[in-house]
Amino acid sequence: MARPKAQTAALMASPDDTEAQFYEALQRGDLERLMAVWADDDEVVCVHPGGPRVVGLVAIRASFEALFGNGGVPVRPEGVRRLHTLGCAVHHLAERVSVVTNEGPRTAWALATNVYVKTTQGWRMVAHHASPGTLGEPPPATGEAPSTLH
Amino acid sequence: MARPKAQTAALMASPDDTEAQFYEALQRGDLERLMAVWADDDEVVCVHPGGPRVVGLVAIRASFEALFGNGGVPVRPEGVRRLHTLGCAVHHLAERVSVVTNEGPRTAWALATNVYVKTTQGWRMVAHHASPGTLGEPPPATGEAPSTLH
C-alpha cells in the first residue's frame, strides 16, 4: 500500500469517498492508490468493458497494471445512482471516457455497477462491473425516477 | 405479486434461494415470480447484455415483459462465485444461454454480477448487471482462486 492503513481508511469514510478515490486513481494511473480501495477478500471481482471476470486482488492488480501501461485512463463517473443499506452500497453510473479516434477526439461511454462494503478499514470496493456502452451520446438511464445524468 | 409475501420470503431465505428463483423465473418467462425477487427500492438496477441502465421496479418489469414476449430465456448460471457480508451478498457468474443461429444451436455466454440485500422479506435482488460474453467457449474467470466454472 502507498499510504498507512489509518490514513487510507480516513479517506474512505463513505462509499462516495471510496468511489472518488477509485476514479482519481484511474485517471492518474496510480496503481497503489487504486488497489487501496479494494476489500481484502478472495472473491472481489472486476469486469472491464468487454473483458473477462477478473477475480481476486492479485489478478485485479495485474489487469490494472496492464491498463496503465499507457498511463491513466481519462474516465469520469456521471449520473451516479446510489442504493445504500447499513453495511453495503451499490452505485451505478455512466463512465465518460475521452478517446481519440481516426476522426479526432470523441466521448465513449461505459455502464458500471460498483459495490462497496463497510469494513474496519472504511468503505471498500468489492465489485466493479463495467460493460461497453456507446460512442457519442450519453446512455440514458431508463426508469421512473428522475435522471441524474448531467 | 403472484404469491403471499410470507411465502415469497420463505423461498428467499438465502441469496442462493433468491438467485435460483431469479433464473427459474427467467427460464419459465414467469414475470410475477421474477419481479418477486427484487427489493422494493427506487434505485434497484438491471442491465441486460448490451442494454442501457434500467432503474426502478416499473422500468425493470417493462424490460422483462418485453424480453418474455417470445417466452422464457434458456439461461443457466454457472461458475458462481460468492462474496457475503452480514446483510449483503455479491454473486458473480457466467450465464450460459442456448441460442439458435444460422449454423444451428449454439451456446452463448454473458457475465453477470448480482447483488442481494437482506430485508425483512428475505434476501432480495438490488442489482443485476449482465454484459455480453462470447459465443462458443465458456469465458474463463481470471484469478488466483480455483475456477468454479464447470
Side-chain angles (χ1 to χ4, degrees), chain B residues 98-124:
Chain B
S98 304
V99 292
V100 177
T101 71
N102 289 339
E103 288 79 40
R106 292 286 185 278
T107 297
W109 297 88
L111 294 176
T113 300
N114 298 326
V115 187
Y116 307 94
V117 297
K118 193 174 187 180
T119 75
T120 52
Q121 306 296 323
W123 285 84
R124 297 295 187 95

PDB file of all heavy atoms in Angstrom, chain B residues 98-124:
ATOM      1  N   SER B  98     -28.649 -20.721 -24.385  1.00  0.00           N
ATOM      2  CA  SER B  98     -28.792 -21.530 -25.598  1.00  0.00           C
ATOM      3  C   SER B  98     -29.427 -20.663 -26.676  1.00  0.00           C
ATOM      4  O   SER B  98     -30.515 -20.121 -26.481  1.00  0.00           O
ATOM      5  CB  SER B  98     -29.687 -22.745 -25.315  1.00  0.00           C
ATOM      6  OG  SER B  98     -29.151 -23.493 -24.241  1.00  0.00           O
ATOM      7  N   VAL B  99     -28.735 -20.527 -27.783  1.00  0.00           N
ATOM      8  CA  VAL B  99     -29.249 -19.686 -28.869  1.00  0.00           C
ATOM      9  C   VAL B  99     -29.267 -20.483 -30.169  1.00  0.00           C
ATOM     10  O   VAL B  99     -28.504 -21.422 -30.354  1.00  0.00           O
ATOM     11  CB  VAL B  99     -28.402 -18.405 -29.066  1.00  0.00           C
ATOM     12  CG1 VAL B  99     -28.544 -17.476 -27.880  1.00  0.00           C
ATOM     13  CG2 VAL B  99     -26.938 -18.748 -29.306  1.00  0.00           C
ATOM     14  N   VAL B 100     -30.181 -20.109 -31.045  1.00  0.00           N
ATOM     15  CA  VAL B 100     -30.260 -20.739 -32.361  1.00  0.00           C
ATOM     16  C   VAL B 100     -29.690 -19.762 -33.383  1.00  0.00           C
ATOM     17  O   VAL B 100     -30.142 -18.624 -33.486  1.00  0.00           O
ATOM     18  CB  VAL B 100     -31.716 -21.098 -32.720  1.00  0.00           C
ATOM     19  CG1 VAL B 100     -31.786 -21.695 -34.126  1.00  0.00           C
ATOM     20  CG2 VAL B 100     -32.274 -22.074 -31.702  1.00  0.00           C
ATOM     21  N   THR B 101     -28.661 -20.191 -34.090  1.00  0.00           N
ATOM     22  CA  THR B 101     -28.042 -19.349 -35.112  1.00  0.00           C
ATOM     23  C   THR B 101     -28.306 -19.961 -36.486  1.00  0.00           C
ATOM     24  O   THR B 101     -28.914 -21.033 -36.589  1.00  0.00           O
ATOM     25  CB  THR B 101     -26.518 -19.259 -34.898  1.00  0.00           C
ATOM     26  OG1 THR B 101     -25.935 -20.536 -35.238  1.00  0.00           O
ATOM     27  CG2 THR B 101     -26.179 -18.921 -33.447  1.00  0.00           C
ATOM     28  N   ASN B 102     -27.847 -19.286 -37.521  1.00  0.00           N
ATOM     29  CA  ASN B 102     -27.984 -19.825 -38.882  1.00  0.00           C
ATOM     30  C   ASN B 102     -27.254 -21.156 -39.023  1.00  0.00           C
ATOM     31  O   ASN B 102     -27.585 -21.970 -39.878  1.00  0.00           O
ATOM     32  CB  ASN B 102     -27.443 -18.825 -39.913  1.00  0.00           C
ATOM     33  CG  ASN B 102     -28.368 -17.628 -40.042  1.00  0.00           C
ATOM     34  OD1 ASN B 102     -29.544 -17.704 -39.685  1.00  0.00           O
ATOM     35  ND2 ASN B 102     -27.823 -16.518 -40.518  1.00  0.00           N
ATOM     36  N   GLU B 103     -26.245 -21.348 -38.182  1.00  0.00           N
ATOM     37  CA  GLU B 103     -25.472 -22.600 -38.229  1.00  0.00           C
ATOM     38  C   GLU B 103     -26.006 -23.633 -37.239  1.00  0.00           C
ATOM     39  O   GLU B 103     -25.348 -24.640 -36.986  1.00  0.00           O
ATOM     40  CB  GLU B 103     -23.994 -22.327 -37.930  1.00  0.00           C
ATOM     41  CG  GLU B 103     -23.244 -21.606 -39.048  1.00  0.00           C
ATOM     42  CD  GLU B 103     -23.533 -20.116 -39.058  1.00  0.00           C
ATOM     43  OE1 GLU B 103     -23.605 -19.530 -37.961  1.00  0.00           O
ATOM     44  OE2 GLU B 103     -23.752 -19.561 -40.159  1.00  0.00           O
ATOM     45  N   GLY B 104     -27.187 -23.403 -36.684  1.00  0.00           N
ATOM     46  CA  GLY B 104     -27.773 -24.350 -35.745  1.00  0.00           C
ATOM     47  C   GLY B 104     -27.652 -23.879 -34.311  1.00  0.00           C
ATOM     48  O   GLY B 104     -27.288 -22.731 -34.063  1.00  0.00           O
ATOM     49  N   PRO B 105     -27.980 -24.758 -33.338  1.00  0.00           N
ATOM     50  CA  PRO B 105     -27.964 -24.350 -31.929  1.00  0.00           C
ATOM     51  C   PRO B 105     -26.534 -24.093 -31.438  1.00  0.00           C
ATOM     52  O   PRO B 105     -25.616 -24.843 -31.769  1.00  0.00           O
ATOM     53  CB  PRO B 105     -28.591 -25.545 -31.201  1.00  0.00           C
ATOM     54  CG  PRO B 105     -28.450 -26.694 -32.135  1.00  0.00           C
ATOM     55  CD  PRO B 105     -28.430 -26.142 -33.530  1.00  0.00           C
ATOM     56  N   ARG B 106     -26.376 -23.041 -30.675  1.00  0.00           N
ATOM     57  CA  ARG B 106     -25.075 -22.690 -30.120  1.00  0.00           C
ATOM     58  C   ARG B 106     -25.247 -22.250 -28.670  1.00  0.00           C
ATOM     59  O   ARG B 106     -26.356 -21.969 -28.231  1.00  0.00           O
ATOM     60  CB  ARG B 106     -24.432 -21.534 -30.907  1.00  0.00           C
ATOM     61  CG  ARG B 106     -24.023 -21.880 -32.332  1.00  0.00           C
ATOM     62  CD  ARG B 106     -22.774 -22.760 -32.350  1.00  0.00           C
ATOM     63  NE  ARG B 106     -22.305 -22.999 -33.713  1.00  0.00           N
ATOM     64  CZ  ARG B 106     -22.805 -23.936 -34.536  1.00  0.00           C
ATOM     65  NH1 ARG B 106     -23.795 -24.701 -34.130  1.00  0.00           N
ATOM     66  NH2 ARG B 106     -22.306 -24.099 -35.756  1.00  0.00           N
ATOM     67  N   THR B 107     -24.129 -22.193 -27.959  1.00  0.00           N
ATOM     68  CA  THR B 107     -24.149 -21.680 -26.595  1.00  0.00           C
ATOM     69  C   THR B 107     -23.497 -20.302 -26.567  1.00  0.00           C
ATOM     70  O   THR B 107     -22.375 -20.144 -27.050  1.00  0.00           O
ATOM     71  CB  THR B 107     -23.381 -22.624 -25.649  1.00  0.00           C
ATOM     72  OG1 THR B 107     -24.045 -23.890 -25.640  1.00  0.00           O
ATOM     73  CG2 THR B 107     -23.339 -22.077 -24.237  1.00  0.00           C
ATOM     74  N   ALA B 108     -24.197 -19.344 -26.038  1.00  0.00           N
ATOM     75  CA  ALA B 108     -23.632 -18.005 -25.854  1.00  0.00           C
ATOM     76  C   ALA B 108     -23.428 -17.774 -24.358  1.00  0.00           C
ATOM     77  O   ALA B 108     -24.089 -18.413 -23.526  1.00  0.00           O
ATOM     78  CB  ALA B 108     -24.565 -16.951 -26.432  1.00  0.00           C
ATOM     79  N   TRP B 109     -22.509 -16.894 -24.045  1.00  0.00           N
ATOM     80  CA  TRP B 109     -22.206 -16.611 -22.639  1.00  0.00           C
ATOM     81  C   TRP B 109     -22.329 -15.129 -22.352  1.00  0.00           C
ATOM     82  O   TRP B 109     -21.979 -14.294 -23.191  1.00  0.00           O
ATOM     83  CB  TRP B 109     -20.776 -17.062 -22.304  1.00  0.00           C
ATOM     84  CG  TRP B 109     -20.580 -18.525 -22.441  1.00  0.00           C
ATOM     85  CD1 TRP B 109     -20.211 -19.196 -23.575  1.00  0.00           C
ATOM     86  CD2 TRP B 109     -20.770 -19.525 -21.432  1.00  0.00           C
ATOM     87  NE1 TRP B 109     -20.152 -20.553 -23.323  1.00  0.00           N
ATOM     88  CE2 TRP B 109     -20.477 -20.779 -22.017  1.00  0.00           C
ATOM     89  CE3 TRP B 109     -21.148 -19.473 -20.085  1.00  0.00           C
ATOM     90  CZ2 TRP B 109     -20.573 -21.974 -21.301  1.00  0.00           C
ATOM     91  CZ3 TRP B 109     -21.229 -20.659 -19.376  1.00  0.00           C
ATOM     92  CH2 TRP B 109     -20.945 -21.892 -19.983  1.00  0.00           C
ATOM     93  N   ALA B 110     -22.820 -14.832 -21.173  1.00  0.00           N
ATOM     94  CA  ALA B 110     -22.782 -13.463 -20.671  1.00  0.00           C
ATOM     95  C   ALA B 110     -22.143 -13.515 -19.281  1.00  0.00           C
ATOM     96  O   ALA B 110     -22.065 -14.583 -18.661  1.00  0.00           O
ATOM     97  CB  ALA B 110     -24.187 -12.881 -20.595  1.00  0.00           C
ATOM     98  N   LEU B 111     -21.646 -12.385 -18.827  1.00  0.00           N
ATOM     99  CA  LEU B 111     -21.114 -12.281 -17.468  1.00  0.00           C
ATOM    100  C   LEU B 111     -22.091 -11.466 -16.646  1.00  0.00           C
ATOM    101  O   LEU B 111     -22.594 -10.442 -17.121  1.00  0.00           O
ATOM    102  CB  LEU B 111     -19.760 -11.572 -17.463  1.00  0.00           C
ATOM    103  CG  LEU B 111     -18.619 -12.299 -18.154  1.00  0.00           C
ATOM    104  CD1 LEU B 111     -17.369 -11.424 -18.148  1.00  0.00           C
ATOM    105  CD2 LEU B 111     -18.342 -13.625 -17.447  1.00  0.00           C
ATOM    106  N   ALA B 112     -22.362 -11.928 -15.431  1.00  0.00           N
ATOM    107  CA  ALA B 112     -23.326 -11.195 -14.610  1.00  0.00           C
ATOM    108  C   ALA B 112     -22.811 -10.993 -13.195  1.00  0.00           C
ATOM    109  O   ALA B 112     -22.141 -11.861 -12.628  1.00  0.00           O
ATOM    110  CB  ALA B 112     -24.662 -11.926 -14.566  1.00  0.00           C
ATOM    111  N   THR B 113     -23.124  -9.833 -12.659  1.00  0.00           N
ATOM    112  CA  THR B 113     -22.941  -9.554 -11.236  1.00  0.00           C
ATOM    113  C   THR B 113     -24.327  -9.329 -10.643  1.00  0.00           C
ATOM    114  O   THR B 113     -25.080  -8.489 -11.133  1.00  0.00           O
ATOM    115  CB  THR B 113     -22.064  -8.303 -11.024  1.00  0.00           C
ATOM    116  OG1 THR B 113     -20.785  -8.525 -11.625  1.00  0.00           O
ATOM    117  CG2 THR B 113     -21.869  -8.020  -9.543  1.00  0.00           C
ATOM    118  N   ASN B 114     -24.662 -10.110  -9.635  1.00  0.00           N
ATOM    119  CA  ASN B 114     -25.953  -9.991  -8.950  1.00  0.00           C
ATOM    120  C   ASN B 114     -25.703  -9.581  -7.501  1.00  0.00           C
ATOM    121  O   ASN B 114     -24.858 -10.168  -6.831  1.00  0.00           O
ATOM    122  CB  ASN B 114     -26.705 -11.325  -8.971  1.00  0.00           C
ATOM    123  CG  ASN B 114     -27.031 -11.784 -10.387  1.00  0.00           C
ATOM    124  OD1 ASN B 114     -27.286 -10.963 -11.273  1.00  0.00           O
ATOM    125  ND2 ASN B 114     -27.007 -13.087 -10.616  1.00  0.00           N
ATOM    126  N   VAL B 115     -26.445  -8.584  -7.047  1.00  0.00           N
ATOM    127  CA  VAL B 115     -26.280  -8.122  -5.671  1.00  0.00           C
ATOM    128  C   VAL B 115     -27.601  -8.307  -4.931  1.00  0.00           C
ATOM    129  O   VAL B 115     -28.670  -7.951  -5.449  1.00  0.00           O
ATOM    130  CB  VAL B 115     -25.848  -6.637  -5.609  1.00  0.00           C
ATOM    131  CG1 VAL B 115     -25.526  -6.240  -4.170  1.00  0.00           C
ATOM    132  CG2 VAL B 115     -24.649  -6.384  -6.515  1.00  0.00           C
ATOM    133  N   TYR B 116     -27.502  -8.881  -3.732  1.00  0.00           N
ATOM    134  CA  TYR B 116     -28.670  -9.145  -2.889  1.00  0.00           C
ATOM    135  C   TYR B 116     -28.486  -8.458  -1.548  1.00  0.00           C
ATOM    136  O   TYR B 116     -27.371  -8.374  -1.038  1.00  0.00           O
ATOM    137  CB  TYR B 116     -28.827 -10.655  -2.660  1.00  0.00           C
ATOM    138  CG  TYR B 116     -28.855 -11.443  -3.942  1.00  0.00           C
ATOM    139  CD1 TYR B 116     -27.682 -11.995  -4.461  1.00  0.00           C
ATOM    140  CD2 TYR B 116     -30.039 -11.613  -4.660  1.00  0.00           C
ATOM    141  CE1 TYR B 116     -27.691 -12.700  -5.657  1.00  0.00           C
ATOM    142  CE2 TYR B 116     -30.055 -12.310  -5.857  1.00  0.00           C
ATOM    143  CZ  TYR B 116     -28.878 -12.851  -6.347  1.00  0.00           C
ATOM    144  OH  TYR B 116     -28.881 -13.536  -7.535  1.00  0.00           O
ATOM    145  N   VAL B 117     -29.593  -7.984  -0.979  1.00  0.00           N
ATOM    146  CA  VAL B 117     -29.539  -7.459   0.389  1.00  0.00           C
ATOM    147  C   VAL B 117     -30.593  -8.177   1.227  1.00  0.00           C
ATOM    148  O   VAL B 117     -31.615  -8.643   0.720  1.00  0.00           O
ATOM    149  CB  VAL B 117     -29.766  -5.923   0.458  1.00  0.00           C
ATOM    150  CG1 VAL B 117     -28.679  -5.168  -0.268  1.00  0.00           C
ATOM    151  CG2 VAL B 117     -31.129  -5.556  -0.074  1.00  0.00           C
ATOM    152  N   LYS B 118     -30.283  -8.266   2.510  1.00  0.00           N
ATOM    153  CA  LYS B 118     -31.202  -8.931   3.440  1.00  0.00           C
ATOM    154  C   LYS B 118     -32.258  -7.933   3.871  1.00  0.00           C
ATOM    155  O   LYS B 118     -31.928  -6.844   4.365  1.00  0.00           O
ATOM    156  CB  LYS B 118     -30.425  -9.448   4.648  1.00  0.00           C
ATOM    157  CG  LYS B 118     -31.218 -10.404   5.506  1.00  0.00           C
ATOM    158  CD  LYS B 118     -30.359 -10.995   6.604  1.00  0.00           C
ATOM    159  CE  LYS B 118     -31.122 -12.073   7.356  1.00  0.00           C
ATOM    160  NZ  LYS B 118     -30.278 -12.650   8.433  1.00  0.00           N
ATOM    161  N   THR B 119     -33.507  -8.286   3.679  1.00  0.00           N
ATOM    162  CA  THR B 119     -34.609  -7.414   4.076  1.00  0.00           C
ATOM    163  C   THR B 119     -35.521  -8.194   5.014  1.00  0.00           C
ATOM    164  O   THR B 119     -35.322  -9.394   5.239  1.00  0.00           O
ATOM    165  CB  THR B 119     -35.436  -6.964   2.844  1.00  0.00           C
ATOM    166  OG1 THR B 119     -36.260  -8.065   2.404  1.00  0.00           O
ATOM    167  CG2 THR B 119     -34.548  -6.522   1.697  1.00  0.00           C
ATOM    168  N   THR B 120     -36.525  -7.520   5.530  1.00  0.00           N
ATOM    169  CA  THR B 120     -37.486  -8.220   6.385  1.00  0.00           C
ATOM    170  C   THR B 120     -38.293  -9.227   5.570  1.00  0.00           C
ATOM    171  O   THR B 120     -38.950 -10.104   6.126  1.00  0.00           O
ATOM    172  CB  THR B 120     -38.449  -7.214   7.041  1.00  0.00           C
ATOM    173  OG1 THR B 120     -39.012  -6.385   6.021  1.00  0.00           O
ATOM    174  CG2 THR B 120     -37.707  -6.345   8.038  1.00  0.00           C
ATOM    175  N   GLN B 121     -38.239  -9.118   4.262  1.00  0.00           N
ATOM    176  CA  GLN B 121     -38.938 -10.063   3.377  1.00  0.00           C
ATOM    177  C   GLN B 121     -37.995 -11.136   2.835  1.00  0.00           C
ATOM    178  O   GLN B 121     -38.320 -11.781   1.833  1.00  0.00           O
ATOM    179  CB  GLN B 121     -39.552  -9.302   2.194  1.00  0.00           C
ATOM    180  CG  GLN B 121     -40.446  -8.140   2.566  1.00  0.00           C
ATOM    181  CD  GLN B 121     -41.674  -8.592   3.322  1.00  0.00           C
ATOM    182  OE1 GLN B 121     -42.226  -9.645   3.038  1.00  0.00           O
ATOM    183  NE2 GLN B 121     -42.090  -7.802   4.298  1.00  0.00           N
ATOM    184  N   GLY B 122     -36.831 -11.287   3.446  1.00  0.00           N
ATOM    185  CA  GLY B 122     -35.867 -12.254   2.933  1.00  0.00           C
ATOM    186  C   GLY B 122     -34.806 -11.560   2.093  1.00  0.00           C
ATOM    187  O   GLY B 122     -34.739 -10.325   2.058  1.00  0.00           O
ATOM    188  N   TRP B 123     -33.982 -12.343   1.438  1.00  0.00           N
ATOM    189  CA  TRP B 123     -32.915 -11.786   0.602  1.00  0.00           C
ATOM    190  C   TRP B 123     -33.501 -11.359  -0.735  1.00  0.00           C
ATOM    191  O   TRP B 123     -34.139 -12.157  -1.417  1.00  0.00           O
ATOM    192  CB  TRP B 123     -31.812 -12.814   0.398  1.00  0.00           C
ATOM    193  CG  TRP B 123     -30.962 -12.994   1.615  1.00  0.00           C
ATOM    194  CD1 TRP B 123     -31.225 -13.805   2.679  1.00  0.00           C
ATOM    195  CD2 TRP B 123     -29.734 -12.322   1.905  1.00  0.00           C
ATOM    196  NE1 TRP B 123     -30.228 -13.690   3.620  1.00  0.00           N
ATOM    197  CE2 TRP B 123     -29.297 -12.786   3.169  1.00  0.00           C
ATOM    198  CE3 TRP B 123     -28.957 -11.377   1.230  1.00  0.00           C
ATOM    199  CZ2 TRP B 123     -28.113 -12.343   3.764  1.00  0.00           C
ATOM    200  CZ3 TRP B 123     -27.775 -10.940   1.813  1.00  0.00           C
ATOM    201  CH2 TRP B 123     -27.367 -11.419   3.076  1.00  0.00           C
ATOM    202  N   ARG B 124     -33.255 -10.098  -1.090  1.00  0.00           N
ATOM    203  CA  ARG B 124     -33.809  -9.579  -2.332  1.00  0.00           C
ATOM    204  C   ARG B 124     -32.718  -9.040  -3.241  1.00  0.00           C
ATOM    205  O   ARG B 124     -31.707  -8.505  -2.777  1.00  0.00           O
ATOM    206  CB  ARG B 124     -34.804  -8.440  -2.031  1.00  0.00           C
ATOM    207  CG  ARG B 124     -36.017  -8.856  -1.224  1.00  0.00           C
ATOM    208  CD  ARG B 124     -36.893  -9.821  -1.994  1.00  0.00           C
ATOM    209  NE  ARG B 124     -38.121 -10.098  -1.289  1.00  0.00           N
ATOM    210  CZ  ARG B 124     -39.259  -9.452  -1.503  1.00  0.00           C
ATOM    211  NH1 ARG B 124     -39.327  -8.504  -2.418  1.00  0.00           N
ATOM    212  NH2 ARG B 124     -40.345  -9.771  -0.814  1.00  0.00           N
TER     213      ARG B 124
END
